[in-house]
Amino acid sequence: YYGEMADVPAQEGSSAVVDRTVQVVIDNALAALLKPFVSSDETVRFAPRGPEDVEQADQATEYVNYVFNCDNPGFLIVHNWFKDALLCKLGVVKAWWEDETRVEGQMEVPLSGDDLQDGMIRQHANYLGEEDGVAFLGSVVKDGRVKIENVPPEEFRISAMSRDVPSAIYSAHVPLNVTRSDLIEMGFDPEIVETLPSLSGSDTESVVRTARYQDERFGDESLDAPHRSQERMALRDEYIRVDYNGDGIAELRRVMRVEDTILLNEEVEHSPFATICPVPMPHKVFGLSLADLIIELQKISTVLWRQMLDNLYKSNNPRPVVSESGICADGSTAESLSDNAPGAAILVKSLDGFRFDAVPYTADASLPMLEMVGNMTEERTGVSRAGQGLDTNALRKSGQMTATEMAMISAGKNARVEMIARIFRS
């Protein structure tokens, strides 16, 4: 996607251009996929089963859309969710309820130094604490909201042979951005958190993660924490089916731990993960991505482009051939040959010993091959060049299309993308 192709190295002194088929197809498919999901104010619509459900369905629709688009960045969540799936086989989002507290009606009360009066203030139901001789009073209100977050594919774990997330024996989120301070804010005992080991460099190694950040060109020292509170932790948020209470029936439990230290162990009703795959395989969680279908074609196009440009360079800039009889004795011939600027003079002793060795232009023979690769890209992905806004009439002799031909192209273009949209919607 970034045009970094270490497995197709360019020869020294030759063209190093890289075809960008993966990027073009992914971005065009993403634009087509997003449109039906975000073009309306209602990302989700609840359908009533009967007349008595109409009002409740309307309220549920308004509430869920408010939570998704206002309490959470709905458009960016969908965008990143779909792009992860198109590039990395699986798009993962995590949705959970997060408890929050806020203080209302806070007021400051100076302490007088009188033990009886100050004691009454400290025993007040709304006493929040004190600092520098001032007591703080206020009402602590417990609240919360639904949080939805994209999970990087390399941070998602699921047990082998799983058919889907709800029935998986094990699924987990292994975030790489949780700090020691974040664990304390989650409500875990600060004394326990302080004893936990920080994330090691080997824990952050991932092919996908390395590819994602390779354009930023930072070194390992950039990951060092400036303060102990900002040290990253090897937290695992796991959802495990296990017979914890010994009744012979496995229940789903949520376990949060850092290595062998368990911070949370509670029974839950369901896993918070939702996954999508653009090319699903039956009875599997991981299918194929659109990138999987065209990476090979990008390599072929890259080689063809390099060969075409190399041939064009050599045809447009033929190398001179000078025999010994044409070489000047003072060395001016060799010096002038080193100047490769267009139109630069070449000093020779005699024109009889000088000629240009022209390279035949054969790059045009590669054009049909590039066209065939483009057709293969359309066949494999279903994302047509007509659907990408290219002029399909450009190479037609008449430059005209009948209404029937136009209708057939309009009905058939990007049919695969429409199918992927239906898969994502389900």
Side-chain angles (χ1 to χ4, degrees), residues 382-398:
V383 181
S384 69
R385 285 172 286 183
Q388 295 172 14
L390 299 181
D391 184 9
T392 57
N393 294 327
L395 301 179
R396 293 177 64 90
K397 293 181 179 179
S398 65

Side-chain angles (χ1 to χ4, degrees), residues 122-383:
R122 293 187 179 105
Q123 294 176 3
H124 195 280
N126 293 337
Y127 175 75
L128 300 176
E130 59 186 74
E131 183 179 354
D132 298 331
V134 177
F136 300 97
L137 303 179
S139 301
V140 178
V141 179
K142 293 185 177 181
D143 199 356
R145 68 185 183 94
V146 174
K147 291 198 68 174
I148 307 172
E149 182 180 278
N150 293 100
V151 176
E154 70 273 16
E155 295 181 2
F156 179 67
R157 304 285 188 274
I158 193 166
S159 52
M161 307 296 288
S162 296
R163 297 185 178 184
D164 51 47
V165 174
S167 64
I169 298 174
Y170 175 91
S171 60
H173 178 202
V174 186
L176 299 177
N177 61 341
V178 175
T179 64
R180 203 178 297 274
S181 174
D182 293 333
L183 290 179
I184 295 175
E185 287 185 2
M186 292 178 189
F188 298 122
D189 190 337
E191 295 184 1
I192 296 178
V193 172
E194 284 299 316
T195 64
L196 298 176
S198 59
L199 195 67
S200 66
S202 59
D203 294 327
T204 65
E205 293 178 0
S206 165
V207 174
V208 177
R209 181 177 181 275
T210 301
R212 178 178 292 114
Y213 292 105
Q214 54 83 29
D215 59 320
E216 297 186 16
R217 311 293 183 188
F218 56 78
D220 293 338
E221 66 278 0
S222 304
L223 304 178
D224 296 337
H227 188 266
R228 181 172 173 79
S229 65
Q230 295 304 307
E231 290 180 345
R232 295 181 299 157
M233 312 300 292
L235 178 69
R236 301 180 76 92
D237 187 9
E238 303 170 311
Y239 295 81
I240 313 166
R241 295 192 179 278
V242 61
D243 181 17
Y244 185 77
N245 54 17
D247 62 356
I249 300 176
E251 66 270 7
L252 184 64
R253 301 192 71 85
R254 182 189 187 188
V255 176
M256 297 184 71
R257 64 182 175 93
V258 175
E259 295 188 354
D260 294 335
T261 303
I262 295 178
L263 303 174
L264 176 70
N265 182 359
E266 63 180 8
E267 185 175 351
V268 294
E269 294 182 357
H270 55 81
S271 171
F273 304 113
T275 62
I276 53 175
C277 179
V279 188
M281 299 299 293
H283 323 301
K284 289 181 62 179
V285 173
F286 290 91
L288 297 174
S289 67
L290 285 191
D292 290 330
L293 306 179
I294 54 177
I295 286 176
E296 178 188 27
L297 299 180
Q298 176 164 317
K299 294 178 181 179
I300 296 174
S301 294
T302 296
V303 172
L304 289 173
W305 273 111
R306 289 176 180 176
Q307 292 175 346
M308 290 172 60
L309 291 174
D310 286 339
N311 178 245
L312 188 61
Y313 297 152
K314 294 174 182 178
S315 298
N316 291 345
N317 190 19
R319 299 188 64 183
V321 178
V322 184
S323 66
E324 291 184 1
S325 62
I327 298 176
C328 297
D330 59 359
S332 58
T333 300
E335 182 179 351
S336 60
L337 285 174
S338 63
D339 184 3
N340 201 34
I346 300 176
L347 302 178
V348 294
K349 183 178 180 180
S350 171
L351 291 177
D352 295 336
F354 175 82
R355 65 180 174 83
F356 280 99
D357 189 12
V359 176
Y361 178 71
T362 59
D364 55 350
S366 298
L367 292 176
M369 186 66 180
L370 278 175
E371 179 66 19
M372 185 180 74
V373 173
N375 293 335
M376 291 175 64
T377 300
E378 291 186 8
E379 292 173 359
R380 292 190 182 188
T381 64
V383 181

